[in-house]
Amino acid sequence: MATALLDDELWRLIEPLLPARRRRFYHPGRKRLDDRCTLSGILFVLRTGIAWQHLPLGLTTAPPGSAEGGLVVSDIEAAHAELVRRGIEVSEIWHGPPFQVEARQPGPDPERTSYGSFFSFADPDGNTWLAQEVTTRLAGRMNGAETGYASAADLQSALRRAEAAHQQSGQNADWSSWYAAYMVAEQAGTDRPR
């Protein structure tokens, strides 16, 4: 798809016009997608209106007529291991684009960024499920006044992240108050204490 909409000659003309952006050290957010891939996607939508008949073949691995669902997990490796332990056939963990099979990189995201690691599996009815690791919600995805953890393991992971951030901050403040503020801000996607 990318080469059909944005050939090398056109890309050589456009690429120098794009601004160079560095990732922020603190709160870097999601990794940026490749500029060429992003522009190809925009051109694809503008050109086709993205009607179902224009979707490229092989976009997903699901057979026609089956459903696809998504699951959010807080620890991609633990969720993968649990499904394997239960005898469920599961793909390997990968990072990178979830639907461009050729662009996937093996293993979890090296920085373990939220929304960056995946695996897939099928249920007995033939439905395909995509599991995605989310450790920190993007801003606006949760009510900042509500904080909740789905399991003791999720809470334990949040406490460990808060502990690591607290140690890096060099703060000697009351650790329990600092942890609480950090964990609420992390779930709400707002600025965390430093």
Side-chain angles (χ1 to χ4, degrees):
M1 178 179 80
T3 55
L5 293 173
L6 192 58
D7 62 20
D8 291 337
E9 185 179 339
L10 181 56
W11 178 244
R12 277 193 296 276
L13 294 171
I14 294 172
E15 187 177 26
L17 304 174
L18 299 174
R21 291 193 183 147
R22 294 189 345 248
R23 287 185 77 197
R24 295 177 302 200
F25 181 76
Y26 291 105
H27 311 292
R30 277 188 177 180
K31 281 186 179 177
R32 280 177 50 125
L33 291 176
D34 175 68
D35 287 335
R36 186 172 184 172
C37 180
T38 302
L39 185 55
S40 294
I42 292 168
L43 291 173
F44 177 76
V45 171
L46 291 173
R47 182 173 157 243
T48 66
I50 207 157
W52 69 269
Q53 65 266 31
H54 293 125
L55 292 176
L57 294 175
L59 183 65
T60 70
T61 56
S66 68
E68 291 194 15
L71 299 172
V72 172
V73 298
S74 61
D75 184 335
I76 198 84
E77 291 175 323
H80 187 271
E82 179 64 18
L83 290 174
V84 169
R85 186 185 70 75
R86 292 177 181 233
I88 297 171
E89 195 170 314
V90 184
S91 76
E92 294 298 320
I93 298 172
W94 78 84
H95 65 281
F99 299 116
Q100 292 177 317
V101 177
E102 65 279 355
R104 294 176 180 173
Q105 300 295 314
D109 180 76
E111 296 176 21
R112 296 302 286 267
T113 55
S114 276
Y115 306 96
S117 300
F118 308 88
F119 68 81
S120 63
F121 63 97
D123 65 23
D125 295 326
N127 300 310
T128 303
W129 294 90
L130 179 70
Q132 180 178 33
E133 184 175 57
V134 178
T135 55
T136 304
R137 299 263 181 200
L138 293 176
R141 300 272 174 108
M142 288 187 69
N143 180 348
E146 297 175 9
T147 303
Y149 296 93
S151 67
D154 285 350
L155 177 57
Q156 183 181 25
S157 293
L159 284 166
R160 286 193 174 136
R161 289 190 303 275
E163 177 186 30
H166 186 251
Q167 288 173 352
Q168 283 183 341
S169 74
Q171 298 279 336
N172 288 327
D174 173 31
W175 70 267
S176 58
S177 299
W178 200 95
Y179 280 28
Y182 182 92
M183 292 164 64
V184 168
E186 180 184 58
Q187 277 212 337
T190 58
D191 288 338
R192 289 167 250 178
R194 296 181 187 187

